[in-house]
Amino acid sequence: MTLSATTATGGVALAALFAFGLFAIGCSTSTTGTRDEGAAVVATAEPVSPPTSEASALPAQNIDPVALLRQDPKVSGQVKADLKPCSEDAYPVDTSYGNLTGAAAPDVVVNVMTCDDAVGLGTYVYRESDQDHRYESVFIAEEPAVYATIDRGELVVTRQVYAKGDPVAYPSGEDVVTYTWADTRFAERYRVRNNYSGAVGNGPVDAPAPSTPSEN
């Protein structure tokens, strides 16, 4: 009798433990029950590349910027006359390729400078024509100390500002103008004026000459 009671008691305990296990499993899988699964797993998304136009995806086509300028009727005669090699066949010309107008080919930005001090004489932008695939002028700025760059699909033109008496190496400031392509031409978007300090860059101040003691 004692053995039967013990066996019966053990069977009841095992049944209760099994039922408790099923209840715990049910709670862990329930949508409303409390869950404790440790640290949450953070899902990482694949990086999304910015959309690129057809022009930015194509490799840049190297062109002869000097020949392009000489054939352009919009380039002034003075700039063409100054367009001479500084040494051998090295011309003072910077060329940049990039997507400015959304054309099928990269646009071309050409800067012409002086040989001695690299002061900008003119900046030009050329776009490939949709009809005959020739490069045509879509922007021109001819003035002293002008230079253009491509910045994230926009044209940024920097013009040095000179006050009366300013040496070429030390202008009084600069205008930075950002242009964006609007249908068939460039339109001004931003303009920033930077004024330079007159206390730096002008060289040391001449010290007064020592006085000579007078003779009595």
Side-chain angles (χ1 to χ4, degrees):
M1 293 297 294
T2 305
L3 180 61
S4 299
T6 304
T7 304
T9 304
V12 173
L14 289 175
L17 181 62
F18 180 75
F20 178 78
L22 291 177
F23 176 77
I25 294 174
C27 290
S28 64
T29 57
S30 173
T31 57
T32 59
T34 303
R35 302 181 61 182
D36 185 7
E37 299 179 358
V41 178
V42 179
T44 57
E46 292 293 331
V48 179
S49 302
T52 57
S53 65
E54 183 180 358
S56 61
L58 293 176
Q61 176 186 358
N62 291 327
I63 65 170
D64 185 351
V66 176
L68 191 63
L69 292 170
R70 287 176 175 171
Q71 297 171 3
D72 186 359
K74 296 182 180 180
V75 178
S76 67
Q78 183 61 50
V79 171
K80 290 181 179 179
D82 294 336
L83 194 58
K84 300 176 181 179
C86 300
S87 60
E88 297 182 358
D89 293 333
Y91 284 84
V93 173
D94 287 346
T95 309
S96 302
Y97 300 88
N99 179 24
L100 287 172
T101 67
D107 302 303
V108 184
V109 177
V110 182
N111 289 287
V112 180
M113 300 163 292
T114 61
C115 290
D116 296 333
D117 44 21
V119 174
L121 299 176
T123 184
Y124 312 86
V125 180
Y126 294 93
R127 180 182 189 270
E128 187 183 67
S129 173
D130 297 332
Q131 287 75 24
D132 53 12
H133 300 289
R134 293 183 179 183
Y135 279 96
E136 57 184 4
S137 175
V138 292
F139 182 89
I140 180 172
E142 292 181 335
E143 55 189 284
V146 62
Y147 197 90
T149 58
I150 300 174
D151 184 9
R152 291 170 291 184
E154 294 182 317
L155 179 67
V156 180
V157 180
T158 302
R159 297 178 174 90
Q160 302 294 332
V161 178
Y162 291 92
K164 185 177 181 180
D166 285 346
V168 176
Y170 301 106
S172 294
E174 66 178 7
D175 286 333
V176 182
V177 185
T178 301
Y179 296 90
T180 187
W181 184 255
D183 194 15
T184 59
R185 63 183 182 86
F186 284 100
E188 181 177 325
R189 187 175 182 185
Y190 304 113
R191 177 179 291 266
V192 177
R193 164 63 66 91
N194 297 318
N195 292 324
Y196 301 150
S197 171
V200 295
N202 293 324
V205 179
D206 294 336
S211 60
T212 303
S214 58
E215 296 180 358
N216 295 330

